[in-house]
Amino acid sequence: MTPASALSHLDALEEETIFLLREVAASFERPALLFSGGKDSLVLLACAEKAFGRGRIPFPLLMIDTGHNFPEVTAFRDQRAAELEANLIVRSVEDSMARGTVRLSRPDESRNAHQSVTLLEAIEEFRFDALIGGARRDEEKARAKERLFSHRDSFGQWQPRQQRPELWTLFNTRLHPGEHFRVFPISNWTELDVWQYIAREQLALPSLYYAHPREVVERRGLLVPVTPLTPPREGEQVQTLNVRFRTLGDITCTCPVESDAATAHDIVRETLSSDTSERGATRMDDQTSDASMEKRKLEGYF
């Protein structure tokens, strides 16, 4: 059972998130909630349901689909949006490729970073002035630099040295034409907080978050799932292990970790003993350099 101290802590985080979601609804004309069907966006959506009520969430859900997402996650995304009677908008990197705005350097290149282009195209198409995301400060160094209300210029770029102060929960939401905000209502949550909240609220998640047998190969210290998009390389040994995913994204860059955790409470206990962030343990695209995420955010990434 979750200790009473943890419950009060979760209540405070939930209250802050609901306040920020309502602040977005009051401050912007055309906001949208970035929704992938992953655990962080599902926690955010659960808070939105508490903030506004089922069938009354006052902004659409926006998904930028690489075309290489796990089918279990996209199916769960569609199911959850339908349950909440929410307007789900999906825009695809493959459509950007067809338009020529995204060009891959090689056919097997990860499309994850190219989501920035499709996202900016969706912002222009729908004239969104705020995008609500499920990013958290503990995920990665660049995330920790960002404000709750993060201003983006007319090119969709983040300027870390020109961020606006946020004193006494007062937010400067003024925009020039073409600009928008990224808003992160669960920025102050940690991975442990998310799993404690999932356990407390008994939130349903895609099954891949829990332990299951899967064929993997070891590559650069990570367990790479064996799929048609990520086949084993010459000399790699395929093994079947009990694994789970700590985060879910593009198949080509998302790796599981070895685990027997079958419930949210199991994962809470497992997370308490982990000394590696979920992105550091599972994302191949963040291992190129310490500045990988910051470079992508400067280009318009989530």
Side-chain angles (χ1 to χ4, degrees), residues 112-277:
N112 195 50
H114 295 291
Q115 291 178 91
S116 303
V117 174
T118 309
L119 176 61
L120 293 175
E121 289 173 344
I123 291 170
E124 183 177 4
E125 178 185 356
F126 294 98
R127 297 187 299 127
F128 291 131
D129 53 3
L131 292 176
I132 306 163
R136 307 186 324 270
R137 286 176 175 149
D138 73 322
E139 287 182 83
E140 201 273 341
K141 294 176 182 177
R143 298 287 195 202
K145 292 182 180 182
E146 200 154 24
R147 301 284 194 262
L148 295 170
F149 280 66
S150 178
H151 175 259
R152 301 298 171 103
D153 64 23
S154 57
F155 296 100
Q157 295 179 320
W158 173 53
Q159 302 296 341
R161 294 184 180 180
Q162 298 176 18
Q163 294 186 97
R164 300 173 180 181
E166 295 180 342
L167 306 174
W168 308 294
T169 63
L170 297 174
F171 306 103
N172 179 352
T173 59
R174 288 176 295 179
L175 291 171
H176 292 294
E179 297 177 344
H180 70 277
F181 272 85
R182 308 287 173 88
V183 185
F184 304 108
I186 64 168
S187 187
N188 290 325
W189 298 49
T190 65
E191 183 183 10
L192 179 61
D193 295 328
V194 166
W195 279 109
Q196 287 180 322
Y197 189 78
I198 289 167
R200 187 185 85 171
E201 301 293 314
Q202 299 181 345
L203 299 184
L205 296 179
S207 60
L208 299 182
Y209 279 113
Y210 300 107
H212 59 282
R214 181 175 289 269
E215 288 189 338
V216 297
V217 296
E218 188 170 349
R219 186 179 302 163
R220 292 189 298 172
L222 298 174
L223 297 178
V224 179
V226 175
T227 72
L229 292 171
T230 52
R233 296 173 181 172
E234 185 177 353
E236 290 182 333
Q237 182 179 358
V238 177
Q239 52 185 326
T240 301
L241 298 176
N242 261 9
V243 299
R244 70 176 181 88
F245 288 88
R246 288 175 68 180
T247 184
L248 287 168
D250 191 293
I251 291 173
T252 62
C253 62
T254 306
C255 299
V257 295
E258 198 165 358
S259 173
D260 292 317
T263 68
H265 290 288
D266 291 340
I267 294 176
V268 167
R269 289 189 287 271
E270 196 174 86
T271 303
L272 282 167
S273 63
S274 176
D275 59 2
T276 307
S277 74

Side-chain angles (χ1 to χ4, degrees), residues 2-4 25 33 69 74 80 105 108 143 152 169 186 200 212 296:
T2 308
L33 189 150
N69 296 93
T74 53
R80 190 73 185 107
S105 59
D108 64 344
R143 298 287 195 202
R152 301 298 171 103
T169 63
I186 64 168
R200 187 185 85 171
H212 59 282
R296 280 181 284 163

Side-chain angles (χ1 to χ4, degrees), residues 31-47:
L33 189 150
L34 293 167
F35 180 60
S36 65
K39 70 180 189 308
D40 296 326
S41 63
L42 285 164
V43 164
L44 194 51
L45 195 58
C47 290

Side-chain angles (χ1 to χ4, degrees), residues 52-102:
F52 305 108
R54 178 169 297 192
R56 299 181 60 187
I57 295 175
F59 31 72
L61 313 182
L62 175 64
M63 164 68 171
I64 304 299
D65 193 340
T66 64
H68 289 166
N69 296 93
F70 290 95
E72 296 94 332
V73 179
T74 53
F76 195 92
R77 171 203 71 192
D78 295 344
Q79 173 191 329
R80 190 73 185 107
E83 289 171 353
L84 289 178
E85 303 173 37
N87 175 23
L88 176 63
I89 299 170
V90 179
R91 289 296 178 266
S92 172
V93 173
E94 292 183 343
D95 290 338
S96 298
M97 292 166 60
R99 287 190 292 270
T101 52
V102 167

